[in-house]
Protein backbone atom coordinates (compact mmCIF):
# COMPACT_ATOMS: atom_id res chain seq x y z
CA UNK A 1 0.00 0.00 0.00
CA UNK A 2 1.53 3.32 -1.05
CA UNK A 3 0.51 6.59 0.59
CA UNK A 4 1.78 9.99 -0.56
CA UNK A 5 2.70 12.18 2.44
CA UNK A 6 3.20 15.94 2.06
CA UNK A 7 5.72 17.27 4.54
CA UNK A 8 5.68 20.88 5.84
CA UNK A 9 8.87 22.92 5.63
CA UNK A 10 9.46 22.73 9.39
CA UNK A 11 9.65 18.90 9.28
CA UNK A 12 11.73 18.56 6.11
CA UNK A 13 14.93 18.27 8.14
CA UNK A 14 13.71 14.74 8.93
CA UNK A 15 13.09 13.90 5.25
CA UNK A 16 16.36 15.26 3.83
CA UNK A 17 14.51 18.29 2.48
CA UNK A 18 11.89 16.29 0.57
CA UNK A 19 8.50 18.00 0.23
CA UNK A 20 6.75 14.68 -0.26
CA UNK A 21 7.57 11.11 0.75
CA UNK A 22 5.99 7.69 0.26
CA UNK A 23 4.72 5.72 3.22
CA UNK A 24 2.81 2.56 4.06
CA UNK A 25 0.21 1.66 6.65
CA UNK A 26 -3.41 0.70 7.12
CA UNK A 27 -3.99 3.64 9.52
CA UNK A 28 -2.46 7.06 10.19
CA UNK A 29 -0.71 5.57 13.22
CA UNK A 30 0.85 2.78 11.14
CA UNK A 31 1.84 5.33 8.49
CA UNK A 32 3.65 7.46 11.09
CA UNK A 33 5.41 4.36 12.44
CA UNK A 34 6.51 3.51 8.89
CA UNK A 35 7.75 7.08 8.34
CA UNK A 36 9.72 6.90 11.59
CA UNK A 37 11.57 3.80 10.33
CA UNK A 38 12.92 5.80 7.38
CA UNK A 39 12.91 9.34 8.81
CA UNK A 40 14.03 9.04 12.41
CA UNK A 41 12.56 11.62 14.77
CA UNK A 42 9.53 12.62 12.70
CA UNK A 43 6.96 10.58 14.67
CA UNK A 44 7.65 12.33 17.98
CA UNK A 45 6.89 15.65 16.25
CA UNK A 46 3.46 14.31 15.20
CA UNK A 47 2.31 12.06 18.05
CA UNK A 48 2.22 12.53 21.82
CA UNK A 49 0.95 9.82 24.20
CA UNK A 50 -0.61 7.89 21.31
CA UNK A 51 -2.60 10.87 19.97
CA UNK A 52 -1.95 13.54 17.38
CA UNK A 53 -0.13 16.50 18.86
CA UNK A 54 -2.42 19.43 19.54
CA UNK A 55 -0.71 21.80 17.12
CA UNK A 56 -0.35 19.39 14.21
CA UNK A 57 -3.10 19.10 11.61
CA UNK A 58 -3.28 15.97 9.47
CA UNK A 59 -5.48 15.72 6.39
CA UNK A 60 -6.45 12.59 4.51
CA UNK A 61 -7.45 13.53 0.97
CA UNK A 62 -8.33 17.06 2.22
CA UNK A 63 -10.37 15.78 5.22
CA UNK A 64 -9.14 16.66 8.71
CA UNK A 65 -8.51 13.30 10.42
CA UNK A 66 -9.65 14.75 13.77
CA UNK A 67 -13.18 14.65 12.33
CA UNK A 68 -12.69 11.08 11.10
CA UNK A 69 -11.05 8.57 13.46
CA UNK A 70 -7.99 10.60 14.41
CA UNK A 71 -4.78 8.62 14.50
CA UNK A 72 -6.83 5.44 13.87
CA UNK A 73 -8.19 6.75 10.55
CA UNK A 74 -7.99 4.00 7.95
CA UNK A 75 -5.94 4.48 4.78
CA UNK A 76 -6.22 3.03 1.28
CA UNK A 77 -3.65 2.57 -1.44
CA UNK A 78 -3.16 5.83 -3.33
CA UNK A 79 -4.38 8.10 -0.51
CA UNK A 80 -2.74 11.46 0.08
CA UNK A 81 -1.87 12.62 3.61
CA UNK A 82 -0.92 16.23 4.29
CA UNK A 83 0.76 17.28 7.54
CA UNK A 84 0.40 20.94 8.50
CA UNK A 85 1.56 22.68 11.64
CA UNK A 86 -1.10 24.87 13.23
CA UNK A 87 -0.28 28.57 13.04
CA UNK A 88 -1.37 31.23 15.52
CA UNK A 89 -0.36 34.69 16.58
CA UNK A 90 0.29 37.98 14.88
CA UNK A 91 0.38 41.65 15.76
CA UNK A 92 -1.99 44.58 15.51
CA UNK A 93 0.25 46.12 12.86
CA UNK A 94 -0.03 43.11 10.53
CA UNK A 95 -3.44 41.87 11.64
CA UNK A 96 -5.72 40.66 8.90
CA UNK A 97 -9.34 39.62 8.81
CA UNK A 98 -11.46 37.97 6.14
CA UNK A 99 -14.64 39.57 4.87
CA UNK A 100 -16.66 38.40 1.92
CA UNK A 101 -13.88 36.08 0.74
CA UNK A 102 -11.33 38.91 0.59
CA UNK A 103 -8.43 39.51 2.96
CA UNK A 104 -7.98 43.05 4.27
CA UNK A 105 -5.15 44.55 6.28
CA UNK A 106 -6.21 46.55 9.30
CA UNK A 107 -4.76 50.04 9.53
CA UNK A 108 -2.55 50.81 12.46
CA UNK A 109 -3.93 53.58 14.67
CA UNK A 110 -1.61 56.11 16.24
Amino acid sequence: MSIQVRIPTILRTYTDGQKSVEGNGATIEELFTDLEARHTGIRERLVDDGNLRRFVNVYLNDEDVRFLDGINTKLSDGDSVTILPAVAGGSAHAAQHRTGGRTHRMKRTR
Side-chain angles (χ1 to χ4, degrees):
M1 175 182 313
S2 180
I3 309 296
Q4 186 74 22
V5 184
R6 293 185 196 128
I7 307 295
T9 304
I10 197 164
L11 294 179
R12 291 182 191 160
T13 55
Y14 299 98
T15 61
D16 297 322
Q18 295 179 75
K19 295 178 182 181
S20 182
V21 297
E22 295 276 326
N24 294 294
T27 64
I28 295 289
E29 182 174 23
E30 289 179 16
L31 174 66
F32 289 169
T33 298
D34 179 64
L35 291 178
E36 178 67 22
R38 288 177 281 120
H39 307 288
T40 305
I42 197 166
R43 189 175 196 285
E44 72 183 64
R45 301 289 182 212
L46 305 172
V47 178
D48 186 31
D49 290 329
N51 295 305
L52 290 174
R53 285 189 172 269
R54 184 173 174 200
F55 297 107
V56 174
N57 298 312
V58 178
Y59 297 88
L60 169 62
N61 303 323
D62 299 323
E63 289 282 331
D64 188 334
V65 300
R66 291 185 201 279
F67 298 106
L68 300 173
D69 288 325
I71 200 162
N72 298 312
T73 298
K74 298 202 181 304
L75 302 173
S76 298
D77 190 35
D79 277 343
S80 175
V81 171
T82 302
I83 301 167
L84 291 175
V87 179
S91 68
H93 177 71
Q96 295 182 354
H97 62 91
R98 295 188 59 85
T99 306
R102 288 171 277 146
T103 302
H104 301 277
R105 285 197 179 269
M106 295 174 61
K107 292 182 181 179
R108 185 175 182 180
T109 57
R110 297 181 193 245

